[in-house]
Amino acid sequence: MNIVQEVLQAEHRIRPYIRETPLEYSFPLSKLTGGGVCLKLENLQFTGSFKVRGAMNALLSLTPEQRARGVVTASSGNHGIAVAFGLHAFKRHGTIFVPEDTSSAKVAVMRDYGADIRFWGTDSVVTEAYARSYAARYDMVYISPYNDTRVVGGQGTIGVELCRQAEHVDVVLAALGGGGMISGIAAYLKTIFADAEVIGCSPEHSPVMAKSVQAGQILDMESLPTLSDGTAGGVEQDAITFPLCQRLVDDYMLVSEDEIRQAMRLCIETHHMLIEGAAGVPLAALLKTPDRFREKTVVVILCGANLSLETLKTIL
């Protein structure tokens, strides 16, 4: 499994379909930490999330015959939106399974793109298992939100952009759910900045991958409700991202719901940008231990901006 090669292939394949998002220097966060903090603005990506990178790479990798059979996926929101966006662009049909507690705002966007939405289960790993079985039963193509080399390769194009945009990177802080984004970024980034530290950031209410790496095996853990719905839920037992995280992610940080809320509010107040809970997680990690990043060049991945008005009201 050569993830760097997958990333480079994805960079060529998806470039016409995505934005190269800005890497923005943050004066207030740099002042706070005593280092140089930049924000990678995936909240400005098409579909409002980095997920379009992996989804488009997976869809573009399919043969015409596979696309014609139809696509099935499972998602807590953003991956589903990204797949729906791609299917609409290619005029193909697909079915998206989502957990029963998925954000109504994210479901509405998927439906706007014309996707067939089905609700199943209350944890993303349960939803994923059912979606896989459904795809097999009806001879459709399943695209995992993270457990797919094509998806990991697509997400890794964030790392390609970072290496073009930054003269040097000491630390990357990224949200960690299933591990597709962080492992893709880390795999490519470390070929250019070998000593860069990649830190996976998770909510205390759903730290499945972080705790699994600590335990040396994928754990079956209950997740509590969290503002970071994009990283919530379990991880498939055969996830390719588990060994990738073991090898490529240097450290893990957990943050509370109040810390996520404060980070989201700070981003609105100081940078005048809306971010969702998952994007607030790595920012909360930075704010939690600012002295750790003193005199370092730090990149915080703001992975998305798909936030409902109801949730926004609780933040403000």
Side-chain angles (χ1 to χ4, degrees):
M1 184 170 55
N2 188 333
I3 294 300
V4 174
Q5 183 179 354
E6 289 283 349
V7 171
L8 292 173
Q9 290 173 347
E11 168 67 16
H12 175 73
R13 189 180 289 127
I14 71 175
R15 186 50 53 190
Y17 299 93
I18 64 167
R19 287 182 175 134
E20 176 159 335
T21 55
L23 183 65
E24 182 176 283
Y25 177 77
S26 170
F27 176 77
L29 294 175
S30 297
K31 183 178 180 182
L32 175 70
T33 61
V37 179
C38 293
L39 305 175
K40 181 59 171 164
L41 304 184
E42 286 296 290
N43 54 316
L44 303 183
Q45 186 57 264
F46 294 130
T47 74
S49 162
F50 75 97
K51 288 284 191 178
V52 72
R53 297 172 182 267
M56 290 302 287
N57 192 45
L59 288 170
L60 288 164
S61 299
L62 300 179
T63 65
E65 183 272 335
Q66 287 175 315
R67 286 189 204 169
R69 280 160 47 196
V71 168
V72 176
T73 193
S75 171
S76 61
N78 286 339
H79 174 71
I81 293 172
V83 170
F85 170 84
L87 290 172
H88 181 267
F90 300 136
K91 296 180 172 57
R92 295 298 180 184
H93 68 280
T95 301
I96 300 172
F97 287 91
V98 299
E100 293 169 6
D101 59 352
T102 300
S103 161
S104 59
K106 293 182 179 182
V107 171
V109 176
M110 287 182 245
R111 285 192 167 129
D112 282 346
Y113 284 121
D116 176 20
I117 309 301
R118 312 278 182 92
F119 291 88
W120 189 272
T122 56
D123 188 290
S124 59
V125 74
V126 175
T127 310
E128 288 161 23
Y130 184 80
R132 276 190 185 277
S133 66
Y134 181 93
R137 189 182 320 138
Y138 293 101
D139 194 30
M140 300 171 76
V141 177
Y142 179 71
I143 298 177
S144 169
Y146 57 88
N147 193 10
D148 186 314
T149 56
R150 301 163 302 179
V151 171
V152 175
Q155 321 303 29
T157 59
I158 296 172
V160 177
E161 292 179 14
L162 284 178
C163 292
R164 281 200 294 261
Q165 295 168 322
E167 292 184 5
H168 182 71
V169 176
D170 291 313
V171 182
V172 172
L173 294 164
L176 174 63
M181 176 178 68
I182 198 167
S183 54
I185 292 173
Y188 185 82
L189 184 81
K190 288 171 182 277
T191 67
I192 307 299
F193 303 120
D195 296 326
E197 182 183 22
V198 178
I199 302 176
C201 308
S202 300
E204 292 176 352
H205 281 191
S206 188
V208 181
M209 182 62 85
K211 293 295 185 181
S212 295
V213 171
Q214 185 179 30
Q217 62 181 340
I218 296 176
L219 301 175
D220 182 9
M221 289 177 58
E222 180 183 2
S223 292
L224 299 174
T226 174
L227 286 166
S228 182
D229 60 306
T231 64
V235 177
E236 289 186 310
Q237 283 297 318
D238 65 346
I240 61 170
T241 49
F242 178 66
L244 290 173
C245 286
Q246 287 181 306
R247 178 166 58 90
L248 296 168
V249 180
D250 300 291
D251 199 5
Y252 298 86
M253 294 182 68
L254 305 185
V255 292
S256 70
E257 293 303 297
D258 190 54
E259 287 166 339
I260 298 169
R261 186 176 293 106
Q262 290 178 21
M264 295 169 71
R265 187 185 300 123
L266 180 141
C267 190
I268 294 170
E269 290 176 344
T270 61
H271 293 82
H272 314 295
M273 286 190 300
L274 188 67
I275 59 171
E276 63 182 85
V281 170
L283 184 54
L286 179 83
L287 297 171
K288 186 171 187 173
T289 56
D291 289 345
R292 174 176 178 173
F293 307 107
R294 187 169 302 280
E295 298 183 358
K296 293 183 178 180
T297 301
V298 181
V299 174
V300 180
I301 311 294
L302 298 185
C303 59
N306 292 322
L307 186 69
S308 70
L309 286 175
E310 290 74 18
T311 303
L312 179 59
K313 290 173 184 176
T314 69
I315 302 302
L316 302 176

